[in-house]
Amino acid sequence: MNFDAFVRGAPGLSVIIPAWNEAEWLPRTLAAVQGALAGVERASEIIVVDNASTDATPEIAQRAGCRVVYEPERRISRARNAGAGAARGQYLLFVDADTWPGAELLQATLDALDSGRVCGGGARVAFDHLDHRIYRWGAAVWNALSARLGLAAGCYVFCTREAFAAVGGFSEAVYAGEEVFLSRALKRRGRAQGQRFEILQTPVLTSGRKEDWFHPARHVLVVLQVLLLPWSLRSRRLSWFWYTRPPRKP
């Protein structure tokens, strides 16, 4: 369903997918999102933010019937904000290009926002594969902290447009971790408005591809860096983990 077939009285939903060179992964994500939206009686749109891709990412999005927005600066927060700026929905949902939300999660998201008691939130994260036990342990720790502290994982973040605008969107002062800053800002704003920031128990499925790309020691170093040197997220060079990929095999 799209905005030309608006359901009277139901706030519209904009799904925003930032993408840099995601031609390999984007088709599966778009199929998952479109499949989940198909079962929802809600005006909706999918916006793919082409973050200076050099592959067929924008063409794939256009062929799938998505709106494409271009953001030339490779900074994740800028790409997310560019998509929000073009969105027409009263609800905003940010999904990574290697993430596959299901219909149950989408309905839970809409139910939470429709209640008027939730200004935003996220979901528990499930990975398509985590072969090394250190990654399985890390995922369990993240999900526990996410629920306890009210922090959304970047692969799935939702909020009302009103709340998003009130807190100024994603911080463009950082190159990574922008979802944590947004979570905290939305929590503060929600408390002032008598609302909460909710982490849904229905999980979102996402890719464990970084396990394939980087050695476990690199992951441990990145976690320590963020915990001990949070200011490093303001540096593009020190945020290399989020902007580096191994060369594709021929």
Side-chain angles (χ1 to χ4, degrees):
M1 182 172 296
N2 57 41
F3 276 80
D4 295 326
F6 189 80
V7 178
R8 186 181 300 276
L13 173 67
S14 295
V15 182
I16 299 161
I17 304 174
W20 171 67
N21 286 353
E22 294 287 4
E24 180 180 357
W25 295 82
L26 189 58
R28 179 179 174 184
T29 295
L30 294 181
V33 172
Q34 289 171 334
L37 289 173
V40 176
E41 289 297 317
R42 191 68 56 120
S44 61
E45 64 179 348
I46 302 174
I47 297 173
V48 174
V49 184
D50 172 22
N51 199 194
S53 297
T54 56
D55 67 2
T57 290
E59 290 79 12
I60 289 171
Q62 289 169 344
R63 287 198 298 268
C66 304
R67 293 176 61 201
V68 177
V69 174
Y70 181 66
E71 170 50 52
E73 181 179 337
R74 283 199 57 221
R75 188 184 304 218
I76 300 171
S77 55
R78 285 186 62 89
R80 296 186 192 275
N81 285 340
R88 294 175 287 180
Q90 293 169 268
Y91 295 162
L92 306 178
L93 170 59
F94 300 88
V95 176
D96 278 353
D98 63 341
T99 299
W100 314 293
E104 181 182 357
L105 175 58
L106 183 59
Q107 188 61 61
T109 299
L110 292 171
D111 289 345
L113 292 172
D114 283 344
S115 73
R117 298 186 296 272
V118 174
C119 64
R124 291 175 55 85
V125 180
F127 292 87
D128 65 343
H129 74 282
L130 290 178
D131 301 325
H132 199 293
R133 62 183 178 182
I134 194 171
Y135 297 121
R136 294 193 294 272
W137 177 82
V141 169
W142 165 258
N143 280 325
L145 289 175
S146 172
R148 177 65 179 249
L149 301 178
L151 301 175
C155 62
Y156 194 89
V157 185
F158 62 87
C159 61
T160 65
R161 172 186 289 279
E162 179 183 10
F164 186 83
V167 302
F170 289 97
S171 172
E172 295 184 7
V174 297
Y175 284 88
E178 71 286 346
E179 69 276 17
V180 172
F181 293 100
L182 181 70
S183 297
R184 290 175 173 173
L186 288 174
K187 282 176 61 180
R188 290 192 297 269
R189 202 265 179 181
R191 282 195 295 267
Q193 299 292 318
Q195 296 177 309
R196 66 181 183 273
F197 187 83
E198 182 171 329
I199 303 301
L200 303 174
Q201 289 303 300
T202 304
V204 62
L205 181 63
T206 192
S207 167
R209 61 184 180 175
K210 283 189 171 66
E211 177 186 26
D212 304 325
W213 292 351
F214 302 112
H215 190 276
R218 288 198 169 190
H219 287 262
V220 172
L221 287 174
V222 168
V223 171
L224 291 175
Q225 171 193 328
V226 171
L227 292 175
L228 300 177
L229 304 171
W231 53 264
S232 65
L233 296 176
R234 294 176 177 267
S235 165
R236 170 65 181 271
R237 182 173 61 86
L238 295 177
S239 299
W240 61 269
F241 181 81
W242 290 271
Y243 295 87
T244 302
R245 295 181 185 177
R248 294 184 62 180
K249 297 179 180 179

